[in-house]
Amino acid sequence: MGKLVFISLVIAALSALLGERFVNFRKRTLASRELVQNHLPNCVELKNLDFGAEDITILKDGLAFISTGLKYPGMPSAHASDIIGKIYTIDMKNPRMKPVELRMPRNFDLESFNPHGISVFVDPSDDAIYLFVVNHPQHKTQIELFKYVDDRSLEYLKTIKHELLHSVNDLVAVGVDSFYATNDHYFTHEILKGLVEPLLAQPWANVVYYSPEEVKVVSEGYYMANGINISPDKKHIYVVDLFDHNVHVLERKEDNALVSMKTVHVGSLCDNVEVEPETGDLWLGCHPNVWKLFVPDPKAPAGSEVIKIQNIHSDKPVVTQVYADDGHVLIGSSVAATYGGKLLIGTVFHKALCCDLK
């Protein structure tokens, strides 16, 4: 009888714990949030990007790089056999705004290409353009380094793997072969990573610095470290914590360590972050209700949101919602990047838009 009572108490305690964790997870995903439409004028769907545009980055001369075809665990595209990872460019100065698919080198395994976050580094010594791509072949993690040869092709340079780079979401290049990267999960096993970790909701994610000479964890304590980028003066790193609804501002040290300066609350589950080189403004593609991504409903799809942060280093940063859609136009926005009065909005697996800024 005593053993039965003990077992019953254990089951009740576990049920209560799981119930509390489930409620907490729903709160972090903003499951009850209802979105008010806030559209921009002249939004046009970009051609060829039928399987998302998970990350976009734009150079000072208006050349935009786009990663598409991500198969991310838990998303509808995770096991789609017809989706192929690709890299596109767009000349933002060309009114046609036509995405151009880059030819991948023959010595690269294109069949397993599963591109996630991207970053571009322009070598100041010769203006050579290096493209860093987070790749998840067989849902593992490695970094691919390419050189942009011309307006049609990439040259494959090398693949970077390291035990500290075990679940990379995004990265920001700071040299021809060095970068900061976010690990969005602590575990590597798919079940632990996709089910147990979200329910536990512990700040175990981190940021890693990589160079051929040194690899080290430089910042910790994130619930889901996601997008990462750098200030125009290269003195600060911005890290988006998706499940904590914050953007972290970190100061770079001479040894490449990062020191936390402040956090800015954004009120949404933001994904990637882009930085305007002239103003230093941050642009974030956000998920207003991530619960709808995990539990899709065709009648109530996951929406999209673009948030802009101005004067982030001041005592009173200005956080503004620039765009919002309930999912009937754009599902699951992951990135927002601007150039010349135009705004590109990408998604994890849906499509991409180009809108005029007001």
Side-chain angles (χ1 to χ4, degrees), residues 13 30 46 139 155 163 180 183 193 217 238 266 285 293 326:
L30 301 180
L46 294 173
H139 297 297
E155 176 187 347
E163 59 183 7
Y180 291 94
N183 281 310
K193 186 176 180 178
V217 174
Y238 308 117
V266 291
L293 276 179
D326 62 6

Side-chain angles (χ1 to χ4, degrees), residues 5 64 135 145-146 148 165 173 260 264 305 331 354:
V5 171
N135 185 18
L145 179 56
F146 302 94
Y148 179 66
L165 301 170
S260 178
V264 177
E305 188 172 22
I331 298 174
C354 177

Side-chain angles (χ1 to χ4, degrees), residues 18-92:
L18 287 174
E20 186 274 333
R21 291 288 85 192
F22 181 75
V23 171
N24 179 67
F25 180 66
R26 279 184 54 87
K27 287 181 179 179
R28 288 197 177 275
T29 61
L30 301 180
S32 300
R33 184 184 178 195
E34 296 296 331
L35 196 67
V36 177
Q37 301 280 67
N38 178 20
H39 285 174
L40 287 167
N42 303 321
C43 286
V44 179
E45 180 181 341
L46 294 173
K47 295 180 180 179
N48 302 326
L49 303 178
D50 300 322
F51 301 116
E54 202 283 332
D55 204 4
I56 302 171
T57 190
I58 306 175
L59 299 182
K60 289 183 179 181
D61 65 358
L63 181 65
F65 287 82
I66 303 170
S67 66
T68 181
L70 173 65
K71 300 177 183 179
Y72 193 77
M75 298 295 105
S77 59
H79 301 289
S81 59
D82 59 334
I83 295 178
I84 300 174
K86 297 178 180 180
I87 302 294
Y88 284 83
T89 59
I90 293 179
D91 180 1
M92 298 293 290

